[in-house]
Amino acid sequence: MDGGGDAQVNAGHGSDSCVAEVGVQIHHSRRLPDFLQSVNLKYVKLGYHYLVSNLLTLCLIPTMAVILVEASQMNPDDIRQLWLHLQYNLVSVIVCSAVLVFGSTVYIMTRPRPVYLVDYSCYRAPDELKAPFERFMNHSRLTGDFDESSLEFQRKILERSGLGEETYVPEAMHFIPPRPSMAAAREESEKVMFGALDTLFVNTSVKPKNIGILVVNCSLFNPTPSLSAMIVNKYKLRGNIRSFNLGGMGCSAGVIAIDLAKELLQVHRNTYAVVVSTENITQNWYFGNKKSMLIPNCLFRVGGSAVLLSNKSADRRHAKYKLVHVVRTHKGADDKAFRCVYQEQDDAGKTGVSLSKDLMAIAGGALKTNITTLGPLVLPISEQLLFFATLVVKKLFNKNIKPYIPDFKLAFDHFCIHAGGRAVIDELEKNLQLLPIHVEASRMTLHRFGNTSSSSIWYELAYTEAKGRMRKGHRVWQIAFGSGFKCNSAVWQALRNVKPSHSGPWEDCIDNYPVKLLL
């Protein structure tokens, strides 16, 4: 979340004490739970959920039974009378048939075209770009840009961040002193984007010339020619390609890019769309001592993804997922939300991204708005009625009643929460009442790859696939936060039992996960 993972760190005060404790306290009780009550309540809720969700089906079954019984009792005279009745009302039959045909045609022509996710790939940097904590701190000290207070601050952030010892930083940051430059930034972007795209084209056997739509998002690096133009040049894409380059939209831009591609696929028939999501670190490393601007240095790491979408009906057979919903929330009209993730210069004239101490509260408000919109689209009717009933009772009788929190576990099988930082994952796990396994993909992605910005949700999906957990019909909720401030959601449905693609980011390390994280 634009470096907002550890926004519990009150970085704006400029002292080491501003580092908040991050982690979940696990309390052990020696008493066994009351299994009788818990099991009864569990099955009462499941039964209620099944009854309400299948109410239409349960009503149709007896209706169809009555119709079949009546039809079975009809004799030849009854059938002949019905035929004569239709003959004398031929005009009515023709009109009804015409209306039915016309309505069906309009529906078929105007219904949204399904969008399929054929495959995707995630970039994995070479081992020589790994940045263990000790090397990171040594390099930070040797650059001479940070005072002791800032170095200690970074050390504490790293220890509580949830990142592991195998994340990657760009090549320019491995030199002493670092060598950030336009050429080095271009090289980083090329390696990430082309690395992900090469793998995608090999795995799908799709020729670059067949790509009709290209959307690239990168928040902080927007050279001329654009990143999308670099891809067109590299793969010699066709001249009439619809290409777009999204900049400055933060860690949620990956979902925005998917939404843009989806809208374009509604207009352009029988075509492929490629969405590339990345971030550039080389030119955006902060070399100052303002603590609110040091947090991104500790969290952001090299990464990127490439996604192949299609609206071709023939691709459904071998596609991995179908796009079900995209819900976008923008809180930019509020000044605090607009400035909570803000690129600026410090008092010494050094540029960086500043994170406000209000970031978590603002993210919570954006999330609330987003799930309020998403809920009616995905939640079972039972959960919606419970939420509405609680709201009415609270309004009319008792204002002290806690609002009912819908159980999103009934709507989704897997959760891909943007790996912005440990605090983000902790808060969503708590507020959405998720189980540890639901946030495992997010925690392990943060541990292995760090905050890779808008591409992190794809590393998380790849983790779920590598663990063999994705089954046909499963629903996946990708949720991301970004500057502006934005909260965006994408919902996918698996079209088959999904296996990991070749050269996936977890291919040689999935058996090492999950790892036990220090609290």
Side-chain angles (χ1 to χ4, degrees):
M1 179 175 57
D2 293 292
D6 279 49
Q8 288 179 349
V9 177
N10 188 356
H13 291 282
S15 66
D16 293 342
S17 61
C18 65
V19 182
E21 289 294 327
V22 181
V24 179
Q25 296 289 333
I26 300 180
H27 299 284
H28 298 279
S29 173
R30 294 186 178 180
R31 295 182 57 188
L32 291 175
D34 187 340
F35 290 110
L36 180 61
Q37 290 188 6
S38 61
V39 171
N40 284 342
L41 287 174
K42 173 184 177 182
Y43 285 106
V44 166
K45 184 173 181 179
L46 288 176
Y48 169 74
H49 158 59
Y50 179 83
L51 175 65
V52 177
S53 298
N54 296 277
L55 186 61
L56 181 61
T57 302
L58 295 174
C59 292
L60 284 176
I61 290 176
T63 304
M64 292 296 296
V66 170
I67 293 174
L68 289 174
V69 169
E70 289 294 328
S72 65
Q73 294 177 350
M74 293 180 66
N75 55 41
D77 290 335
D78 294 329
I79 296 174
R80 187 166 52 254
Q81 289 295 327
L82 179 62
W83 173 249
L84 291 173
H85 177 73
L86 291 176
Q87 282 184 320
Y88 287 118
N89 292 275
L90 184 60
V91 175
S92 299
V93 172
I94 293 174
V95 170
C96 290
S97 300
V99 170
L100 183 62
V101 170
F102 177 76
S104 301
T105 303
V106 170
Y107 170 75
I108 292 172
M109 295 296 293
T110 60
R111 66 175 179 174
R113 293 185 178 88
V115 174
Y116 303 112
L117 193 162
V118 180
D119 204 352
Y120 65 96
S121 63
C122 299
Y123 175 73
R124 181 165 152 177
D127 289 345
E128 56 265 25
L129 296 187
K130 287 182 179 179
F133 289 176
E134 185 176 354
R135 183 187 301 176
F136 180 96
M137 291 307 304
N138 286 339
H139 275 63
S140 296
R141 181 172 287 103
L142 291 172
T143 61
D145 293 299
F146 308 107
D147 57 31
E148 284 302 319
S149 176
S150 295
L151 290 169
E152 180 64 13
F153 180 80
Q154 292 181 79
R155 184 187 65 80
K156 290 182 178 180
I157 292 290
L158 284 172
E159 289 176 350
R160 299 180 172 98
S161 65
L163 272 70
E165 298 281 350
E166 297 187 294
T167 60
Y168 308 95
V169 297
E171 184 177 359
M173 297 298 106
H174 284 269
F175 292 98
I176 300 175
R179 301 176 182 175
S181 65
M182 175 61 76
R186 284 182 182 274
E187 184 179 3
E188 178 193 347
S189 293
E190 288 174 352
K191 286 183 177 178
V192 173
M193 296 189 304
F194 299 165
L197 285 167
D198 287 346
T199 301
L200 181 69
F201 290 139
V202 168
N203 287 346
T204 59
S205 299
V206 172
K207 297 179 180 179
K209 284 285 187 181
N210 293 333
I211 304 303
I213 297 166
L214 173 65
V215 183
V216 180
N217 69 271
C218 181
S219 188
L220 293 173
F221 182 60
N222 295 284
T224 299
S226 65
L227 298 179
S228 60
M230 290 164 61
I231 293 174
V232 172
N233 178 260
K234 165 69 175 179
Y235 295 97
K236 309 304 177 187
L237 303 184
R238 62 199 199 195
N240 65 342
I241 189 169
R242 282 85 176 176
S243 65
F244 300 84
N245 202 97
L246 306 181
M249 306 193 79
C251 297
S252 67
V255 177
I256 296 173
I258 291 291
D259 188 39
L260 175 58
K262 179 200 74 172
E263 295 298 330
L264 292 167
L265 287 171
Q266 299 304 310
V267 179
H268 304 285
R269 296 173 176 270
N270 297 317
T271 190
Y272 289 112
V274 167
V275 174
V276 179
S277 299
T278 186
E279 191 51 86
N280 189 283
I281 298 174
T282 298
Q283 279 204 320
N284 296 287
W285 201 266
Y286 176 62
F287 293 100
N289 291 291
K290 187 176 179 180
K291 292 182 173 57
S292 63
M293 301 170 77
L294 281 169
I295 300 174
N297 285 9
C298 303
L299 298 178
F300 278 91
R301 295 295 184 264
V302 172
S305 62
V307 181
L308 180 65
L309 303 175
S310 172
N311 58 9
K312 300 179 181 181
S313 57
D315 284 325
R316 179 186 173 89
R317 294 195 304 272
H318 55 270
K320 286 187 171 183
Y321 303 94
K322 176 183 176 181
L323 182 60
V324 182
H325 300 293
V326 175
V327 174
R328 294 167 54 181
T329 301
H330 204 309
K331 308 294 284 187
D334 179 80
D335 291 340
K336 282 188 176 181
F338 176 73
R339 293 189 63 91
C340 71
V341 180
Y342 202 79
Q343 187 178 25
E344 59 184 354
Q345 289 182 324
D346 63 12
D347 295 337
K350 296 182 178 180
T351 303
V353 176
S354 177
L355 305 182
S356 165
K357 61 181 182 295
D358 300 321
L359 181 55
M360 287 303 292
I362 292 167
L367 173 65
K368 181 180 178 181
T369 303
N370 189 266
I371 64 176
T372 300
T373 306
L374 180 66
L377 300 175
V378 298
L379 286 170
I381 298 176
S382 61
E383 289 297 296
Q384 297 187 46
L385 289 179
L386 280 172
F387 176 78
F388 178 74
T390 308
L391 193 65
V392 171
V393 172
K394 177 180 172 65
K395 191 75 173 177
L396 297 179
F397 302 105
N398 189 346
K399 294 185 177 181
N400 294 324
I401 294 178
K402 292 183 178 180
Y404 177 74
I405 300 176
D407 188 356
F408 279 90
K409 297 188 293 295
L410 295 174
F412 303 111
D413 302 282
H414 306 283
F415 298 79
C416 296
I417 301 167
H418 165 53
R422 188 170 181 174
V424 177
I425 302 170
D426 287 346
E427 286 301 309
L428 265 70
E429 179 183 14
K430 175 184 175 183
N431 292 330
L432 296 178
Q433 301 177 350
L434 303 179
L435 300 175
I437 193 170
H438 294 133
V439 295
E440 182 183 307
S442 300
R443 292 194 190 280
M444 296 307 106
T445 294
L446 180 64
H447 181 272
R448 178 62 183 84
F449 296 100
N451 181 351
T452 60
S453 190
S454 55
S455 64
S456 68
I457 53 179
W458 298 105
Y459 287 86
E460 294 163 16
L461 188 59
Y463 179 90
T464 303
E465 293 178 4
K467 281 294 182 181
R469 297 171 182 170
M470 192 65 67
R471 296 287 180 265
K472 182 178 181 179
H474 279 188
R475 285 197 168 196
V476 184
W477 182 13
Q478 292 180 322
I479 182 166
F481 303 88
S483 58
F485 189 84
K486 300 178 285 293
C487 176
N488 299 321
S489 295
V491 179
W492 304 88
Q493 185 172 29
L495 298 176
R496 53 188 169 91
N497 295 343
V498 182
K499 296 180 179 179
S501 301
H502 181 64
S503 299
W506 302 92
E507 194 168 65
D508 64 348
C509 62
I510 189 62
D511 293 335
N512 300 330
Y513 289 89
V515 297
K516 186 176 181 180
L517 301 175
L518 297 177
L519 298 178

